[in-house]
Amino acid sequence: MAAKNQLDLLVSNFQQKRPLRAGSLIITAYGDAIVPRGGTVWLGSLMKLLEPVGVSERLVRTSVFRLTRESWLQAEKVGRCSYYSLTGPGLRRFEQAFRQVYNMATEEWIGNWCLVFLSQLDNGKRRSIKEELEWMGFGSLAPGVMAHPRMEKSELLPLLQERDALDETIVMQSEPQELLTSKALRLQVKESWNLNLLGERYDNFLNQFRPLWNELKIEDSLSPEDCFIARTLLIHEYRKVLLRDPLLPDELLPGDWEGRSARLLCRNLYRRIYARAEEWLDVTLENASGPLPAPAPNFYRRFGGLD
């Protein structure tokens, strides 16, 4: 029962967080479990899914209403039942975020940077766009100038258009003109991204989930429902840290960077429990036609291959 005790501790830690961000957990559940199975789910089965994590029916309703108002989710009524799916903009934001979560391969960095100049925006809009870019892993090079080593210009245009900021924002793709790991660049990276804080967040993730992984290697007796809970909390906590990570090239990171260990732990634990979690989803999730379909083939390519 040691693994179950570790899982109970993870659930307890989640429930004690204030405020309890149920909306963020719902987005995790959509990204990890629902989108691969068609993307639409009955509100009642979503409530049943999240109740063991400590999210009440009332909180699910309130959070879903808020996510709908914020254009993450859209509703379809069939009789007295409501079925929810991601909106177009919600799906775009989801795909951009979750692509990083399940990706194990890191492309070789050739020294390019995506630069965003916000100086022509009014103060309110500049703060809003800056926060969104920081959430995507951008760092601040100078007042009004944000940078990312891997983001493509084309990935930003829908966001800027959505926020009515496209005509007032300058986006450039730079090419290297000097050594990729010059002293000046290393110092700039240290100033622009708080790697110490990010490393602490990865450490916290490792300290939360490594005990469960160690116990599962000794005795793995988790039920399908337990595995779903563990998998959801795993991806939820990993996603929160990863989306603050600009995924800087290895050349610009410390040799003992905690992010590498966190990625391996997340992959190994996910591979261990995903199949039993899918068994629980088979009998819990419904759409207007009945049980949700099996996951799409690309689901099994997560983390470099699940089998």
Side-chain angles (χ1 to χ4, degrees):
M1 295 294 291
K4 183 65 165 69
N5 292 339
Q6 290 296 334
L7 177 59
D8 290 343
L9 182 59
L10 288 170
V11 172
S12 176
N13 288 341
F14 173 78
Q15 293 174 350
Q16 290 172 20
K17 292 182 179 178
R18 293 293 180 270
L20 187 64
R21 300 192 182 279
S24 180
L25 187 70
I26 289 170
I27 291 299
T28 297
Y30 263 87
D32 188 62
I34 297 170
V35 168
R37 290 169 167 261
T40 302
V41 71
W42 172 46
L43 180 61
S45 62
L46 183 62
M47 292 173 176
K48 181 179 179 182
L49 200 65
L50 297 181
E51 188 275 333
V53 191
V55 182
S56 67
E57 291 187 5
R58 180 179 179 183
L59 188 52
V60 171
R61 286 186 185 277
T62 303
S63 301
V64 166
F65 174 77
R66 186 178 297 116
L67 289 168
T68 303
R69 191 177 58 193
E70 294 172 354
S71 300
W72 274 95
L73 296 178
Q74 57 191 355
E76 179 185 359
K77 292 280 285 187
V78 179
R80 299 178 62 183
C81 296
S82 297
Y83 301 86
Y84 286 86
S85 59
L86 290 171
T87 62
L91 187 60
R92 178 190 63 75
R93 283 181 280 181
F94 148 77
E95 288 175 341
Q96 190 173 58
F98 279 80
R99 188 184 310 124
Q100 295 180 20
V101 172
Y102 305 112
N103 182 30
M104 290 301 294
T106 303
E107 293 182 7
E108 182 181 357
W109 185 60
I110 58 174
N112 292 348
W113 291 87
C114 181
L115 303 176
V116 185
F117 296 82
L118 307 175
S119 55
Q120 300 306 312
L121 297 169
D122 64 63
N123 290 338
K125 193 178 289 187
R126 186 186 306 134
R127 280 194 302 271
S128 173
I129 298 296
K130 184 174 184 289
E131 287 174 5
E132 186 92 19
L133 292 177
E134 287 175 343
W135 184 79
M136 295 166 65
F138 276 78
S140 179
L141 287 188
V145 183
M146 308 292 288
H148 196 291
R150 298 191 185 278
M151 192 72 62
E152 293 291 331
K153 179 178 178 180
S154 58
E155 296 179 78
L156 285 181
L157 299 185
L159 163 68
L160 298 174
Q161 194 163 25
E162 238 174 68
R163 297 299 187 92
D164 193 29
L166 190 59
D167 291 338
E168 302 162 292
T169 308
I170 302 168
V171 183
M172 295 182 179
Q173 209 83 37
S174 77
E175 295 183 0
Q177 301 295 322
E178 57 182 24
L179 291 174
L180 302 186
T181 56
S182 66
K183 180 180 177 181
L185 183 54
R186 283 183 173 277
L187 291 173
Q188 183 64 59
V189 164
K190 192 173 182 179
E191 287 181 15
S192 300
W193 287 273
N194 192 338
L195 294 184
N196 288 337
L197 178 59
L198 186 59
E200 288 175 10
R201 288 173 174 165
Y202 274 126
D203 258 341
N204 290 336
F205 171 82
L206 290 165
N207 291 335
Q208 282 187 77
F209 288 93
R210 191 176 274 148
L212 176 61
W213 169 244
N214 290 336
E215 293 298 341
L216 287 175
K217 288 188 291 184
I218 299 169
E219 182 185 359
D220 186 350
S221 57
L222 294 183
S223 69
E225 182 180 17
D226 291 336
C227 287
F228 164 75
I229 295 169
R231 183 176 123 181
T232 301
L233 292 177
L234 173 75
I235 294 301
H236 184 63
E237 297 301 329
Y238 183 61
R239 178 175 74 93
K240 287 195 302 182
V241 184
L242 185 68
L243 295 184
R244 291 288 185 178
D245 189 341
L247 302 178
L248 291 166
D250 278 347
E251 299 94 324
L252 300 177
L253 289 170
D256 58 349
W257 179 235
E258 296 88 344
R260 300 185 189 99
S261 298
R263 183 171 290 271
L264 289 174
L265 175 64
C266 189
R267 180 199 67 181
N268 293 341
L269 189 46
Y270 196 94
R271 284 177 172 176
R272 184 80 179 231
I273 62 179
Y274 87 91
R276 274 169 290 165
E278 289 300 310
E279 293 175 18
W280 183 245
L281 296 173
D282 286 338
V283 299
T284 306
L285 295 181
E286 298 179 35
N287 59 23
S289 303
L292 263 59
N298 62 2
F299 168 81
Y300 297 97
R301 293 197 286 270
R302 290 177 172 181
F303 294 111
L306 294 177
D307 295 323

